[in-house]
Amino acid sequence: MTTYNWDLIERLLHEVQNGAGHSFTPRPYAEQYAAEKAAAGEAIENLDHLKAVAGEYEKLLLERSYIEPRPEEEGGNGENFVLTPRGSRLLSLIDSSIPGNDHPRQVLDEQEDALDEFTFDDLASKAQIA
């Protein structure tokens, strides 16, 4: 089974969502994420590993159509992205600011690979996941 760091993925998706006119840089976002976790007293994994994972997530999210290059007319600069409808659905399921987000994350964690396009689309179409 593939397990994902949903908090880090959430952070990356929020950065995509708010990234008009700015380059998407997953490694510094991973550093900021780790600093926030440490400041909250939470244990963090190896920072270099976390940065590498953030880069892998960027590639995965792009390859599996959760994000796509941002059009120029929307502030695209060739180095930033927008959420696709699939990416928006993922963010709405895992967003920690939404009460009750633990259940969707648990359901996603129970899948062989929750970010597989077919698996995710099937899960996201079911009302009971949210």
Side-chain angles (χ1 to χ4, degrees):
M1 281 184 75
T2 303
T3 57
Y4 294 102
N5 180 331
W6 297 118
D7 289 335
L8 181 57
I9 289 174
E10 176 189 359
R11 174 64 181 257
L12 296 176
L13 293 175
H14 276 297
E15 294 294 344
V16 165
Q17 191 175 45
N18 301 319
H22 305 288
S23 295
F24 183 77
T25 53
R27 294 174 64 84
Y29 300 146
E31 285 180 28
Q32 294 164 5
Y33 162 80
E36 290 167 7
K37 292 289 184 187
E42 296 180 38
I44 57 165
E45 55 191 281
N46 176 288
L47 184 56
D48 288 332
H49 175 73
L50 196 59
K51 289 183 199 177
V53 168
E56 291 169 17
Y57 283 170
E58 174 190 18
K59 181 179 176 188
L60 181 80
L61 293 169
L62 185 60
E63 287 176 349
R64 295 188 179 178
S65 300
Y66 290 91
I67 61 175
E68 64 188 13
R70 182 178 294 273
E72 268 187 56
E73 60 273 8
E74 293 179 20
N77 61 12
E79 297 178 356
N80 58 4
F81 305 99
V82 292
L83 295 177
T84 63
R86 180 181 289 142
S88 293
R89 286 192 307 274
L90 175 60
L91 182 57
S92 70
L93 286 175
I94 65 171
D95 195 329
S96 59
S97 68
I98 299 172
N101 77 320
D102 290 343
H103 179 257
R105 287 181 181 206
Q106 179 184 359
V107 172
L108 291 169
D109 283 340
E110 293 169 354
Q111 307 309 306
E112 185 66 33
D113 182 352
L115 294 182
D116 171 79
E117 302 97 308
F118 301 107
T119 301
F120 180 80
D121 289 347
D122 181 55
L123 280 175
S125 71
K126 297 176 180 173
Q128 66 269 27
I129 189 174

